[in-house]
Amino acid sequence: MELGLTTFAEVGSGGTGAVSPRQRLKDLLEEVVLAEQVGLDVYGVGEHHRADFAASAPAVVLSAAAARTSRIALTSAVTVLSSDDPVRVFEEFATLDLISDGRAEVMAGRGSFTESFPLFGYDLADYDDLFVEKLGLLLALRDSETVNWSGRHRAALTDQSVYPRPERPLPIWVGVGGNPESVARAGLLGLPMALAIIGGQPARFAPLADLHRRAVSEGGHEPQPIAVHAHGYVADTEDRAVSEFYPSYAAAMTGLGRERGWAPMNPQAFDGLRGPGGSLVLGNPEQVAEKIAGMRDTLGIERFMLHPSVGPLPHNQVMRAIELLGTKVAPLVEQA
């Protein structure tokens, strides 16, 4: 199974721990380099258009990472395709794939935030229709050098070629938060799927993983991998993992809760999430490896991506977590 990391380049919204976007992006590039050095397989950067995140242009960030690395796969996590132009997305990631010698991936999603829709002139009433239409165009661009296409939300393309072309079919994943229709769509299209498990019990996602596999088969495609993206953190001891991760995580989740009507994060809820059946992948290397292996066995996944920087977690702590994930956790998962 592949192991990797994701980030949204969190900078915080002020107060203790907040960093500048310039510093956060510099730190991020150091994290990618270390992730490759310790043997991790993939690094993902998510797209957001908010003051508390510095990565509104993942392809740009990943291109900088490509210049500093040679092996690790580089993916968006996710590209908010509903409010983007598939032609431009294809051009950017085809360019990244060429720069990186074939290490680029697109993880397309509808996004968990909505700021990009008014920013780029789209109506939230078209939330799902935008994604379906634009995913179709992105796949057409991947599959053919010359495209004929028409839709409701973008100008038609008539015998139009898009360049540069990557030297291989550009890998396109679909990021899903738990919507069965989205899961089935990805499978019927023969696309790999990434499940965002950031709450609840991972075991409850097993029916979605099974649905994806059935849809892939029904669509007449070869088996496609499934990934999991989850919040978490690894430290030398369980106590250190809790004490270092909780302040940043609680601040971020409480702030998000104020926007979405959730209760503030508290130690009791946190302990439930990090328990054996919860979604947080947190603890010492043995505990983290056990939970990752459990998700692998329960869901049948081929890739796991840990998201440690929930809120502006100090850079030195993130670096230690990356080191442990590659040198301690990965061997334990392989043996489990």
Side-chain angles (χ1 to χ4, degrees):
M1 183 177 68
E2 293 182 334
L3 284 181
L5 295 151
T6 58
T7 185
F8 300 154
E10 292 85 345
V11 297
S13 55
T16 303
V19 296
S20 69
R22 176 186 61 81
Q23 187 60 52
R24 182 66 192 97
L25 291 170
K26 288 180 178 292
D27 291 345
L28 184 157
L29 293 175
E30 290 185 5
E31 292 162 14
V32 183
V33 170
L34 179 61
E36 178 170 272
Q37 289 174 348
V38 299
L40 295 177
D41 300 294
V42 58
Y43 193 94
V45 177
E47 174 191 344
H48 291 86
H49 302 268
R50 298 165 52 95
D52 42 348
F53 303 110
S56 61
V60 177
V61 179
L62 293 170
S63 290
R68 292 162 171 80
T69 57
S70 61
R71 182 195 58 80
I72 195 167
L74 302 168
T75 182
S76 56
V78 299
T79 293
V80 185
L81 191 61
S82 303
S83 57
D84 211 331
D85 181 356
V87 172
R88 197 62 176 145
V89 169
F90 181 83
E91 290 177 335
E92 290 172 348
F93 280 85
T95 302
L96 172 62
D97 201 56
L98 295 169
I99 290 172
S100 64
D101 292 325
R103 293 185 284 133
E105 300 177 1
V106 179
M107 187 188 298
R110 292 180 294 180
S112 60
F113 293 90
T114 60
E115 287 83 3
S116 64
F117 287 82
L119 185 63
F120 296 112
Y122 292 101
D123 190 339
L124 276 171
D126 298 322
Y127 184 78
D128 191 60
D129 189 44
L130 281 164
F131 181 75
V132 173
E133 180 176 297
K134 292 187 175 189
L135 180 61
L137 175 54
L138 183 62
L139 295 176
L141 294 165
R142 179 197 65 179
D143 295 339
S144 178
E145 184 171 340
T146 301
V147 173
N148 288 280
W149 178 91
S150 63
R152 292 181 53 228
H153 302 286
R154 192 200 183 282
L157 298 175
T158 303
D159 292 329
Q160 182 67 57
S161 300
V162 176
Y163 301 105
R165 306 296 301 180
E167 295 180 351
R168 58 167 188 158
L170 185 66
I172 297 174
W173 293 64
V174 174
V176 178
N179 183 294
E181 183 178 0
S182 298
V183 170
R185 179 190 302 126
L188 290 170
L189 290 170
L191 298 176
M193 174 183 70
L195 286 167
I197 302 180
I198 57 174
Q201 298 176 324
R204 293 185 177 180
F205 287 78
L208 295 178
D210 291 340
L211 173 61
H212 180 263
R213 283 186 280 268
R214 290 197 307 272
V216 168
S217 178
E218 291 169 9
H221 306 289
E222 294 295 319
Q224 294 296 313
I226 299 174
V228 162
H229 155 270
H231 293 160
Y233 183 68
V234 55
D236 293 278
T237 67
E238 179 182 6
D239 288 345
R240 176 169 287 185
V242 171
S243 65
E244 291 180 350
F245 186 74
Y246 178 75
S248 176
Y249 178 79
M253 298 306 286
T254 297
L256 184 58
R258 282 195 293 268
E259 298 179 20
R260 301 189 178 184
W262 301 341
M265 179 56 59
N266 58 61
Q268 292 74 30
F270 180 76
D271 286 342
L273 288 169
R274 71 182 182 91
S279 60
L280 270 182
V281 182
L282 181 141
N284 60 40
E286 292 76 17
Q287 291 170 313
V288 169
E290 182 179 2
K291 186 165 274 193
I292 294 173
M295 289 190 189
R296 177 198 62 198
D297 297 342
T298 301
L299 304 178
I301 61 175
E302 288 81 14
R303 174 184 286 183
F304 177 84
M305 296 177 289
L306 186 71
H307 192 105
S309 299
V310 185
L313 195 65
H315 176 52
N316 66 314
Q317 294 177 9
V318 176
M319 293 288 275
R320 180 57 178 162
I322 293 171
E323 181 182 359
L324 290 171
L325 186 64
T327 62
K328 301 293 185 182
V329 175
L332 291 171
V333 172
E334 186 174 350
Q335 296 165 13

